[in-house]
Amino acid sequence: MSMRSWWVLSMLGLSSLGLSSLAGAEVPQEGVSSRPPERRAKSYVDAVSYFQSEAEFQAWFELRGRLNQNFDDICGDTFCEGDYSNIESIVFRCSVETRTGVVGQCLWVFGGSAEDIDSRTGVISTQTRTWACKSPLARGTTMAALLTALAGPEPLYATLPGTQKTLYDGLVDCL
């Protein structure tokens, strides 16, 4: 067999293999994708970026103010009796899924310090610490439901939607 004949037979064999492997393949119709539909990725933003109305902004900022006050009211008798006697609330923040309004997570961040004065030199030494306390939210909690549940004068003790827990419970587990 000549080299040319060998090459022609090889090409015919490869062609038939290629065609047979395509025989079972579906050819997409024009305008119809053979790929599964793409799902839009979730997108989370800070609660302040999620709110659309003045009432929502006002409810959020009032809630944060009441949480700070509730914490200040109990700090000396509870969390602030340990190594860090001056714990301060820094911020309460939540992430919200932009399309659904479902809360991704809420964290309440605290900072604390303990200071010592050297009686011989007057030098002050400090120990500092921060805490990021996760709120015990139920999966699927919406920002609207959270704002409603925490709307009263003592949001620290209000039952969170879909749970038997409060934000205070989350602090006990954290601080």
Side-chain angles (χ1 to χ4, degrees), residues 5 11 15 28 41 43 48 51 54 64-65 81-82 87 93 105 114 121 126-129 132 141 154 157 159 170-171:
S5 300
M11 288 295 113
S15 290
S43 177
V48 173
F51 298 132
E54 185 64 33
R64 288 172 47 168
E81 288 184 331
I87 298 173
R93 284 185 88 170
Q105 183 179 55
T121 64
T126 62
Q127 295 177 332
T128 60
R129 173 139 187 229
T141 300
E154 293 190 323
Y157 307 105
T159 303
L171 297 184

Side-chain angles (χ1 to χ4, degrees), residues 60-130:
W60 179 248
F61 290 114
E62 286 176 5
L63 166 62
R64 288 172 47 168
R66 286 191 311 273
L67 284 172
N68 287 338
Q69 185 61 54
N70 286 174
F71 182 78
D72 288 346
D73 291 346
I74 63 157
C75 184
D77 296 332
T78 57
F79 306 111
C80 299
E81 288 184 331
D83 294 337
Y84 299 92
S85 60
N86 59 345
I87 298 173
E88 295 284 332
S89 170
I90 296 172
V91 68
F92 180 74
R93 284 185 88 170
C94 296
S95 63
V96 184
E97 206 282 319
T98 56
R99 289 178 313 183
T100 62
V102 170
V103 176
Q105 183 179 55
C106 291
L107 288 179
W108 198 349
V109 181
F110 295 88
S113 65
E115 299 80 21
D116 289 313
I117 298 175
D118 185 316
S119 62
R120 291 180 296 119
T121 64
V123 172
I124 301 172
S125 62
T126 62
Q127 295 177 332
T128 60
R129 173 139 187 229
T130 59

